[in-house]
């Protein structure tokens, strides 16, 4: 008799605790378009540096830089600056 009560209580708890909605995340289709626009931004690199920067970055010395598009910088192996986060 106790086993039936325990099983009934467990079944009731399982029914209460089951979520009524899906837990799977949704993926937005517009994300690639945003990335394409951000990759056409002009960024600045130095001759010997490994990072690319925004023009106003305090780590950047504008006399020794050249400007390139963000996607070109990524293709050439440059990484975004952690300070200005271009």
């Amino acid at each position: 008799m106790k086993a039936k009560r325990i099983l009934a209580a467990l079944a009731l708890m399982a029914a209460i605790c089951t979520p009524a909605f899906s837990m799977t995340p949704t993926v937005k289709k517009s994300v690639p378009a945003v990335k394409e626009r951000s990759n056409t931004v002009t960024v600045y690199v130095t001759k010997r540096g490994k990072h690319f920067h925004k023009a106003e970055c305090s780590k950047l010395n504008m006399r020794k830089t050249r400007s390139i598009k963000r996607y070109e910088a990524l293709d050439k192996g440059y990484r975004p600056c952690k300070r200005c986060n271009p």
Side-chain angles (χ1 to χ4, degrees):
M1 197 61 151
K2 283 185 178 181
K4 287 184 181 179
R5 286 184 186 171
I6 292 172
L7 288 176
L10 288 173
L12 180 62
M13 288 174 54
I16 292 172
C17 295
T18 304
F21 57 91
S22 173
M23 296 293 286
T24 57
T26 57
V27 178
K28 295 182 180 181
K29 301 277 183 181
S30 63
V31 171
V34 172
K35 285 186 178 179
E36 286 177 18
R37 276 186 271 144
S38 69
N39 280 338
T40 60
V41 172
T42 301
V43 295
Y44 298 88
V45 295
T46 59
K47 200 173 202 177
R48 295 185 185 160
K50 296 177 183 176
H51 297 89
F52 58 90
H53 308 268
K54 291 180 181 177
E56 62 271 6
C57 183
S58 61
K59 284 188 160 185
L60 193 61
N61 182 349
M62 290 302 287
R63 289 179 288 152
K64 299 179 181 179
T65 61
R66 62 185 177 95
S67 62
I68 60 173
K69 297 294 182 190
R70 187 176 196 276
Y71 71 90
E72 292 174 319
L74 291 170
D75 289 344
K76 292 181 179 184
Y78 289 99
R79 294 174 296 190
C81 170
K82 290 181 182 178
R83 183 173 292 174
C84 66
N85 195 20

